[in-house]
Amino acid sequence: MLEATSLDKSFVVERDALGRVRRSLHAVDDVSLRVEPGRTLALVGESGCGKSTTAELILQLQAPDAGSVVLDGQELTGMPSKLLRATRRRIQPVFQDPYSSLDPSQTIGSGLNELLAIHGIGSSRERVERAQRVLERVGLPSDPRALSRYPGEFSGGQRQRVAIARALIVEPDYVVLDEAVSALDVSTQALVLQLLIDLQRERELGYLFISHDLGVVRHLAHDVAVMYLGQIVEHGPAEQIYKRPSHPYTRALLDAVPDPDPDFQHARRTRRIVVSGDPPDPTQRPAGCSFRLRCPFAHEVCAQEDPSLSEFDGRLVACHFASDVLSSDFSADGEVVEAGPA
Amino acid sequence: MTASIDSSPARAQTPGRENGEPVARGVSPRRAMLRAFVGDRLAVVALLVLITMGALALLAPVVAPYDPNAQDFSQTLQSPSREHWFGTDDLGRDLLSRMLFGARLSLGAALIAVTLGAALGVLPGFLAGYRGGTVDIGLSRLTDAIMCIPGLILSISLIAVFGPGTLQVAIAVGVAFAPRFFRVARGAALSVAAETYVKAVRAAGAGHTRTLLRHVVPNASSAVIVQASLMFGMGLLVEAGLSFLGFGAQPPAASWGALLRRGSGFMVEARYLSVIPGLVITIAVLAGNIAGDGLQRAVTNQRSSGR
Ligand SMILES: Nc1ncnc2c1ncn2[C@@H]1O[C@H](COP(=O)(O)OP(=O)(O)OP(=O)(O)O)[C@@H](O)[C@H]1O
Ligand code: SF4
Ligand SMILES: [Mg+2]
């Protein structure tokens, strides 16, 4: 099990002349997540809410200010880099941009070989065989000529397959997919998602699947965590979250999915929530609930008390009025608008 | 996003297209760069000029019509003629032969200066750009300090310590060049270090040394190669300048700059003695810059199309 507990990370945005922090940004605020073998936890939220930072904390690419990442009982944060290498094999990344996530000056084969070499896996003959097997598995040509190709010779979808092959070749237990299909066109996206689903079944992989798009997440998530301004605002089984969203932000995200899969969509209400306004400046988080300036359900209490993430209806939610959100066709001042004809 | 899931197993696809989307057939980035450079006529001509000069310098003992230091007092200050293509100087020495031997000193000094500058500046630059933090701050401060001193003054004071001579000049110029190489290498490494693939190999378990040598250096080196070719022209120029001031090759040996200096004493009676060295220096420097610019364009084109 891969478990992150109470991760915290702030960035300094501005310093004064004496080097003291003037403005800082709480990118990840008390985030706890758990990825289990064979299951997918989706982390969703709009751009800049801290998803990638969370991923990098888990991948040990950044050190958290507080909190811990534990892999099968072993603490990873602060682990000496020599020891960390062995555990890095078990948690592999796939990043969003298929154009910048492969070294342009390295052939596909030499890149795959290098990954095996880093972890001392196989003789050089075995490495070539493994590389061919994994390329074949992700649906790419695997002949020796394919191994000697450069990333520049592949399309976006193919590069993302290469990135997946790179993650798989060292036989990890967990894969952190940061917007792994977001840059692909719709049909390629579907193929790559299916590949990910098949691979998970085959190898009992645990996925942390990061996306801003609930429509994509729906296809493979077992659990969903919704992030807003660095905090998890709702976290629970995918079915619960999709069918019975209890945080206004989750509802707004779901209502923004243009053509929902009827099976998975929450009982369609006659009204839907549209979040007004832009995401607030993350360096100036409002006091109280950080969503309150965009929230159609907000009351005075929301300005005074930051709702804590707590158990509600079989999931965790951080909202003072979760039961209202769940049960109501709440309408307030035009911020909850009529659902248009689908 | 409404991705309908296709449940058929992932099919092997022809490389070069996916979902009908055609993909440019690529080659290695280095080869693509070379191809772009070869397509650049002017740059190729400039490079050929430099190569010819280099070859003539190497072959000077074979191709030079006369001993460069042989004096012939019956043939002093002869204008260019069939016997002496570039004429003779006040001691009756054949200028063409002296230019050919001088090329060894001038081109050699520029080459040594560029090599030394790169050797001193590039690796620290890559390291600073890749690691950032205190490593970067320390090395950058040091570079700034060196760059505060104007290159010529730095060179002259180094020569004051080690004495005049072509090698000394080359070393002094090389030291003065090092900060420029540092800056270019640092900038290139900085942008490569921000690339996702660096993050990806780090997350996959690659150590800093491997990441730097296998991923940052290969991708940042084209910027350094461009810089080196541009610095070659500048090295020639600085060497010529220092030799002109008398810090370079000592008589009877003479680099192009030293020949220009001697020739400048005969502006009235033998203009060719200064015009020819001056012209050759200019051509060589221009050729270096044009070739460097061509290389720069090739790198940029390759980068924008090779993605
Ligand atoms: N190194 C950094 N220094 C300063 N601020 C940073 C740094 N990295 C991230 N941030 C800020 O932290 C916040 C969270 O960034 P992050 O990349 O984690 O968001 P994200 O949810 O992945 O967004 P996106 O969907 O755009 O990828 C953003 O406001 C970003 O500007
Ligand atoms: S706590 Fe208040 S402001 Fe925050 S989401 Fe719930 S209702 Fe909205
Ligand atoms: Mg991101």
Side-chain angles (χ1 to χ4, degrees), chain A residues 56 103 119 188 194 213 219, chain B residues 1 3 5 19 199 204 215 219:
Chain A
E56 292 191 8
D103 184 340
H119 297 288
T188 312
Q194 187 56 48
D213 186 345
H219 294 299
Chain B
M1 201 72 295
I5 298 283
N19 301 322
K199 220 188 278 180
H215 300 280
N219 288 293

Side-chain angles (χ1 to χ4, degrees), chain A residues 19-283:
Chain A
R20 287 173 305 200
V21 176
R22 183 177 286 169
R23 229 152 43 105
S24 72
L25 183 159
H26 208 162
V28 174
D29 183 358
D30 196 19
V31 167
S32 300
L33 298 170
R34 199 165 68 197
V35 187
E36 287 168 63
R39 289 177 68 84
T40 300
L41 167 64
L43 182 61
V44 300
E46 65 203 319
S47 184
C49 71
K51 305 181 296 293
S52 296
T53 307
T54 306
E56 292 191 8
L57 293 174
I58 290 174
L59 288 164
Q60 306 300 310
L61 288 170
Q62 296 188 41
D65 299 335
S68 72
V69 178
V70 174
L71 176 67
D72 291 336
Q74 199 178 19
E75 171 73 60
L76 302 188
T77 37
M79 188 186 261
S81 52
K82 284 245 163 61
L83 287 175
L84 193 57
R85 184 163 311 170
T87 58
R88 281 198 190 280
R89 183 190 66 76
R90 301 188 53 203
I91 312 172
Q92 290 291 310
V94 176
F95 294 103
Q96 166 171 12
D97 182 0
Y99 290 90
S100 70
S101 61
L102 301 174
D103 184 340
S105 66
Q106 191 178 39
T107 63
I108 303 306
S110 118
L112 290 169
N113 179 67
E114 180 183 22
L115 296 172
L116 294 172
I118 288 170
H119 297 288
I121 300 171
S123 66
S124 57
R125 267 257 321 271
E126 285 161 10
R127 286 178 194 162
V128 173
E129 281 164 18
R130 268 182 188 250
Q132 291 180 328
R133 268 206 308 276
V134 77
L135 285 179
E136 201 173 323
R137 181 62 198 89
V138 299
L140 287 171
S142 59
D143 54 294
R145 277 199 52 220
L147 290 178
S148 61
R149 291 207 167 90
Y150 288 87
E153 300 177 58
F154 294 89
S155 70
Q158 288 176 325
R159 288 188 201 206
Q160 208 57 314
R161 288 175 194 270
V162 173
I164 293 170
R166 287 175 57 90
L168 289 180
I169 196 164
V170 294
E171 304 192 336
D173 301 313
Y174 298 93
V175 184
V176 175
L177 299 127
D178 188 355
E179 305 273 14
V181 301
S182 306
L184 307 177
D185 65 70
V186 177
S187 53
T188 312
Q189 209 171 47
L191 292 169
V192 173
L193 280 175
Q194 187 56 48
L195 172 65
L196 290 172
I197 292 169
D198 294 343
L199 288 167
Q200 177 169 58
R201 294 210 183 110
E202 252 169 64
R203 307 179 182 211
E204 275 286 286
L205 292 169
Y207 288 158
L208 175 59
F209 188 88
I210 294 175
S211 180
H212 63 278
D213 186 345
L214 272 164
V216 165
V217 161
R218 182 176 69 218
H219 294 299
L220 76 174
H222 300 103
D223 294 289
V224 175
V226 180
M227 200 167 184
Y228 186 78
L229 279 186
Q231 293 172 321
I232 302 292
V233 295
E234 188 161 7
H235 185 354
E239 185 131 343
Q240 283 285 69
I241 305 272
Y242 276 91
K243 290 195 173 148
R244 298 162 61 77
S246 300
H247 193 283
Y249 182 61
T250 313
R251 255 192 78 174
L253 283 181
L254 281 169
D255 287 345
V257 177
D259 180 18
D261 175 346
D263 293 348
F264 228 158
Q265 173 64 355
H266 67 281
R268 238 230 192 229
R269 294 172 168 86
T270 52
R271 294 161 191 283
R272 62 195 183 106
I273 295 186
V274 173
V275 178
S276 54
D278 293 325
D281 179 354
T283 62

Side-chain angles (χ1 to χ4, degrees), chain B residues 58-118:
Chain B
L58 282 176
L59 294 174
V62 183
V63 297
Y66 299 89
D67 175 345
N69 298 321
Q71 305 181 357
D72 181 351
F73 290 102
S74 65
Q75 297 283 325
T76 57
L77 297 182
Q78 299 286 309
S79 299
S81 63
R82 195 170 297 169
E83 287 76 41
H84 298 283
W85 291 3
F86 286 2
T88 61
D89 69 3
D90 58 317
L91 300 176
R93 294 178 293 194
D94 178 57
L95 183 59
L96 174 58
S97 304
R98 289 179 70 69
M99 287 296 291
L100 286 167
F101 277 90
R104 305 183 126 199
L105 298 176
S106 292
L107 298 176
L111 203 63
I112 291 172
V114 169
T115 310
L116 182 67

